[in-house]
Amino acid sequence: MGTKRQFRIWRGDETGGDLQDYTVEVNEGEVVLDVIHRLQNTEAPDLACRWNCKAGKCGSCSMEINGKPRLSCMTRMSTFEEGETVTVTPLRTFPVIRDLVTDVSFNYEKARETPAFAPPPGVAPGDYRMQQVDVERSQEFRKCIECFLCQNVCHVIRDHEENKPAFSGPRYFIRAAELDMHPLDAKADRKEYAQAEMGLGFCNITKCCTEVCPEHIKITDNGIIPMKERVVDRRYDPLVWLGSKIFRR
Ligand code: SF4
Ligand code: F3S
Ligand code: FES
């Protein structure tokens, strides 16, 4: 037999909504998503939430728990104080569909806008070769589970809806960084593209994206900052600029 805990959960849709109070049983070892499932099985069968793997790998169950963007399947109830009310709200940066489900299609649009890997001309599929060291260099970025917590927390769009058209966000900056490290990618300079087309310049390195990433990807230090530094070098350092012309890859 578990203990009774207090929850406040946002209920509503695109026309508006409010926080509703629930008292619900919690058992040892449970996570926030377990509690949401218990509510769906008892007093709130119509409570909408998105989830899939319950193992921190599908990136579906993103929500804000006590104001912090988190995966609900990886947030243990033991992280909260006994007697503390747990408040669960939908991701704030994206439009609500219903209850805890948001419309994250902004991110899919940005994914489509990011130019895909472009193989070098004359190399047939199956003939691509690269060194193991090059595979490993960008491995960190390929751990992304597309939970969009980093996209949700970045103040550039969280507080400024008007920035959305011009800003791809941290998840796509690491995609650009990953492709920039790819020795066979023949697309013209990914850093320049990120600066010119993806809104890299809007990022002022607050690192909130890195803080919330459940895969512990060093989005800012390993992805964003190196790209920013190299863009700045090329623009303002005539020697680096000249070198980049002479030793073009
Ligand atoms: Fe989620 Fe991290 Fe990928 Fe951002 S970079 S979408 S926080 S896994
Ligand atoms: Fe946003 Fe991350 Fe930059 S939170 S401002 S993209 S460091
Ligand atoms: Fe898949 Fe939480 S349900 S990450």
Side-chain angles (χ1 to χ4, degrees), residues 58-60 62 107-108 111 143-149 171-172:
C58 73
S60 310
S62 301
N107 301 291
Y108 301 128
K143 289 193 312 186
C144 173
I145 59 170
E146 303 223 295
C147 64
F148 306 132
L149 291 178
R171 191 276 168 264
Y172 301 101

Side-chain angles (χ1 to χ4, degrees), residues 141 143-151 170-171 174 209 212-217 219:
F141 302 137
K143 289 193 312 186
C144 173
I145 59 170
E146 303 223 295
C147 64
F148 306 132
L149 291 178
C150 59
Q151 300 282 96
R171 191 276 168 264
I174 61 167
C209 50
V212 299
C213 178
E215 286 293 319
H216 308 292
I217 300 169
I219 301 172

Side-chain angles (χ1 to χ4, degrees), residues 35-196:
V35 178
I36 289 170
H37 285 163
R38 180 161 301 118
L39 281 168
Q40 289 176 325
N41 287 332
T42 53
E43 62 185 294
D46 61 340
L47 169 60
C49 88
R50 194 185 275 127
W51 70 283
N52 205 311
C53 69
K54 213 167 173 279
K57 285 295 163 226
C58 73
S60 310
C61 67
S62 301
M63 49 190 77
E64 300 197 4
I65 302 172
N66 285 356
K68 193 166 177 225
R70 309 183 71 131
L71 297 179
S72 57
C73 75
M74 298 302 283
T75 306
R76 291 195 172 275
M77 284 303 300
S78 57
T79 54
F80 307 107
E81 299 288 329
E82 196 82 10
E84 181 181 359
T85 300
V86 179
T87 302
V88 187
T89 50
L91 297 180
R92 203 182 86 193
T93 302
F94 311 117
V96 167
I97 297 175
R98 191 155 72 83
D99 301 335
L100 302 173
V101 178
T102 53
D103 177 358
V104 292
S105 47
F106 163 81
N107 301 291
Y108 301 128
E109 283 159 27
K110 295 300 169 184
R112 275 192 292 273
E113 285 170 21
T114 306
F117 168 73
V123 184
D127 289 343
Y128 303 164
R129 297 287 180 272
M130 59 196 279
Q131 301 289 321
Q132 185 60 27
V133 66
D134 289 322
V135 174
E136 281 157 14
R137 192 168 292 134
S138 61
Q139 175 61 26
E140 176 187 17
F141 302 137
R142 289 195 299 278
K143 289 193 312 186
C144 173
I145 59 170
E146 303 223 295
C147 64
F148 306 132
L149 291 178
C150 59
Q151 300 282 96
N152 173 64
V153 83
C154 179
H155 71 101
V156 174
I157 47 176
R158 188 174 173 92
D159 302 327
H160 300 279
E161 182 70 27
E162 69 280 9
N163 286 341
K164 279 185 177 171
F167 187 71
S168 296
R171 191 276 168 264
Y172 301 101
F173 295 151
I174 61 167
R175 175 72 176 144
E178 177 198 333
L179 290 169
D180 190 45
M181 292 175 184
H182 199 305
L184 294 177
D185 180 51
K187 167 93 185 120
D189 199 311
R190 296 274 173 184
K191 296 174 283 292
E192 289 290 347
Y193 185 87
Q195 183 73 14

